[in-house]
């Protein structure tokens, strides 16, 4: 079970962590802006900023994510070949 947990973290969390950290910083920045200017409706602006930042970062990180997906497909094919088909 430990191996499955480690593989899950390596598969999901590590490639996406820069995107998650960037979105967290955008949301923290929007919170600071909301706190400093209460009369400004930051929620309507914050949604657009988060959306644009998320898509831009996803576009930048897509090559790294796609490399990891290809690697996982190769590992899956090798696992099937070894375990189910008995080939080495």
């Amino acid at each position: 079970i430990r191996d499955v947990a480690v593989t899950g973290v390596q598969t999901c969390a590590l490639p996406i962590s820069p995107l998650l950290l960037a979105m967290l910083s955008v949301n923290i920045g929007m919170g600071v802006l909301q706190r400093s200017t209460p009369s400004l409706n930051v929620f309507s602006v914050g949604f657009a900023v988060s959306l644009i930042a998320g898509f831009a970062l996803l576009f930048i990180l897509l090559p790294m994510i796609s490399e990891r997906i290809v690697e996982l497909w190769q590992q899956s094919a090798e696992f099937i070949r070894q375990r189910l088909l008995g080939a080495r």
Side-chain angles (χ1 to χ4, degrees):
I1 292 200
R2 182 176 182 271
D3 293 335
V4 172
V6 169
T7 303
V9 169
Q10 288 175 347
T11 302
C12 299
L14 292 179
I16 303 298
S17 61
L19 181 66
L20 292 175
L21 290 174
M23 294 308 297
L24 178 66
S25 63
V26 166
N27 284 328
I28 289 173
M30 287 295 138
V32 169
L33 186 64
Q34 174 69 32
R35 191 76 171 163
S36 64
T37 58
S39 62
L40 181 67
N41 189 5
V42 177
F43 290 115
S44 61
V45 175
F47 180 73
V49 169
S50 295
L51 192 65
I52 291 169
F55 278 127
L57 289 168
L58 189 59
F59 181 73
I60 292 169
L61 294 174
L62 198 57
M64 182 183 74
I65 295 169
S66 64
E67 288 175 7
R68 182 66 180 144
I69 290 172
V70 168
E71 182 182 322
L72 288 172
W73 275 106
Q74 291 171 349
Q75 287 177 359
S76 299
E78 183 63 29
F79 178 80
I80 291 171
R81 214 175 286 118
Q82 288 178 354
R83 301 284 190 234
L84 298 179
L85 302 176
R88 299 216 181 247

